[in-house]
Amino acid sequence: MYSLNDNCSKYFTYGDLVLCGETALSIEIDNQPLQDSSWNALANLATEILDPIYEEFGKLQLTYGFCSHALSNKIKANIYPSLDQHSCMEVNSKGKIICSRGGAAVDFKVSEISSLEIARWIVSNLNYDRLYFYGKASPIHVSHSEKPSGSVVLMRKTATSGKRVPQNMQPRKFVESTDVNF
């Protein structure tokens, strides 16, 4: 049996990853994973991705972590449970994994350090699955899975509507490009 107070890595508890989102903190809902494989995915994310970032850049502010089915029903916009890996290995009412990508995801930032600098470091140094870059002052979305794809997706706002549009980018180009400094 897992507990939110248990350590899942050197620097993080399960509670850090489960109780970090604005909605999760503002409403009374049991947002804990139901599947053992989700708990394991969170531990792998913390150990393989978050701990090395912490050691390189210092304290992380987690802004969105695990999202149960119950919590996803309370969030009004801009989440994609079937794609974003925040649901870890949880299943829907039909017993199918909500996000077929597996693994786990978290969004975070580090005070006073550009998210672009951190994102480029992740791409150059870690075995991540997906990284969504929203801009140098915004939180970074990063995931980990058993078979990491190493994908980088820019999430730029359009000039006309202000909506974010995903743009895939080769990891090497992301690290070297001057066109991602938004």
Side-chain angles (χ1 to χ4, degrees):
M1 188 60 143
Y2 297 91
S3 164
L4 295 178
N5 295 323
D6 291 345
N7 289 330
C8 61
S9 74
K10 185 175 179 180
Y11 301 106
F12 298 93
T13 66
Y14 287 106
D16 293 331
L17 299 174
V18 171
L19 302 174
C20 60
E22 192 175 293
T23 306
L25 293 170
S26 68
I27 61 174
E28 291 185 28
I29 195 167
D30 184 4
N31 188 45
Q32 294 187 59
L34 300 176
Q35 307 298 316
D36 284 350
S37 54
S38 290
W39 293 93
N40 293 334
L42 289 170
N44 290 336
L45 172 70
T47 301
E48 300 296 324
I49 303 295
L50 297 180
D51 282 358
I53 297 168
Y54 184 100
E55 289 175 350
E56 182 70 20
F57 295 101
K59 185 173 173 65
L60 283 66
Q61 179 186 353
L62 305 181
T63 59
Y64 182 44
F66 174 74
C67 183
S68 66
H69 180 67
L71 179 61
S72 70
N73 288 334
K74 300 290 184 185
I75 300 174
K76 302 298 180 207
N78 298 322
I79 66 166
Y80 303 95
S82 64
L83 296 175
D84 67 20
Q85 295 169 281
H86 286 287
S87 62
C88 294
M89 303 298 290
E90 297 298 289
V91 297
N92 62 22
S93 59
K94 296 178 182 178
K96 302 276 187 188
I97 293 177
I98 293 169
C99 180
S100 63
R101 292 177 175 165
V106 68
D107 297 3
F108 75 94
K109 57 186 175 179
V110 177
S111 181
E112 315 232 352
I113 299 177
S114 165
S115 289
L116 180 59
E117 178 183 347
I118 298 165
R120 285 180 166 160
W121 185 87
I122 292 168
V123 170
S124 297
N125 294 284
L126 300 179
N127 198 18
Y128 67 97
D129 186 37
R130 297 183 186 297
L131 184 139
Y132 296 147
F133 181 72
Y134 290 85
K136 61 185 178 181
S138 297
I140 299 164
H141 169 101
V142 66
S143 65
H144 180 270
S145 71
E146 288 184 21
K147 296 179 182 174
S149 69
S151 298
V152 174
V153 181
L154 303 182
M155 299 297 288
R156 294 183 197 258
K157 287 185 179 179
T158 63
T160 52
S161 70
K163 289 185 178 185
R164 294 199 184 267
V165 176
Q167 174 192 356
N168 291 318
M169 181 175 253
Q170 292 298 318
R172 182 177 173 169
K173 185 175 179 186
F174 176 74
V175 170
E176 297 172 354
S177 179
T178 58
D179 188 39
V180 296
N181 198 13
F182 56 96

